[in-house]
Amino acid sequence: FQLLVLSALTAIAVARPQEEIPKPGIIPVISRDEIHDDFGQYALSYLSGDGTSLREQGALKLNAEGNGHVLVKKGSITYYAPDGTPITLEYIADENGFQPKGAHLPTPPPLPVPEA
C-alpha cells in the first residue's frame, strides 16, 4: 500500500510545472500524519513542498456474504496542472471498485431521453 501511495504522489509531483519544482528535483514532504489501529482502520495525510496533498481514510467492512471483509478507502489527492490550475481527485474504493470524482475527469455524453 505504501508503494501505491508513493507512486501516486510521484506521478502527481511530475505533473506539476517544471519551473516550480525545487532544484535539484527533490520535493520535500512538509507534513505527514498516519494513524493505524488494530482493527484495520487508518487515516493518513501528506503535504509536499510543491503543494501536492493526499488525504485518505480506510476501514474494514463486512463483505456481502458475511464471511470476510472488504477494505473501504475514501480520500482525495490535490496537485497542480502544468498551467498552475489546482486539480482535485476525490475517490472511494470498495467492493464496487475504484470510483473517482473530479471536475477534470471526462464524462460520457448524456443519454437520450426515451420518448413516451
Side-chain angles (χ1 to χ4, degrees):
F1 174 74
Q2 290 177 350
L3 181 58
L4 176 63
V5 170
L6 182 58
S7 297
L9 286 174
T10 301
I12 290 167
V14 170
R16 180 84 172 167
Q18 294 299 314
E19 64 274 4
E20 295 183 27
I21 295 177
K23 300 299 179 205
I26 297 173
I27 300 171
V29 174
I30 303 300
S31 68
R32 173 184 165 207
D33 294 310
E34 292 189 34
I35 300 170
H36 300 265
D37 70 15
D38 295 336
F39 304 103
Q41 300 178 110
Y42 68 91
L44 56 89
S45 65
Y46 296 96
L47 175 62
S48 69
D50 67 352
T52 300
S53 66
L54 171 116
R55 293 182 180 275
E56 184 173 281
Q57 297 177 349
L60 292 174
K61 172 181 151 182
L62 194 60
N63 66 7
E65 295 79 25
N67 60 359
H69 292 86
V70 174
L71 178 60
V72 177
K73 298 179 182 186
K74 293 181 183 181
S76 67
I77 299 172
T78 299
Y79 62 97
Y80 294 87
D83 66 1
T85 304
I87 304 292
T88 298
L89 175 73
E90 295 179 353
Y91 59 90
I92 295 175
D94 60 13
E95 66 274 11
N96 298 313
F98 184 72
Q99 304 154 56
K101 292 181 183 178
H104 65 291
L105 296 176
T107 57
L111 295 173
V113 177
E115 295 182 25

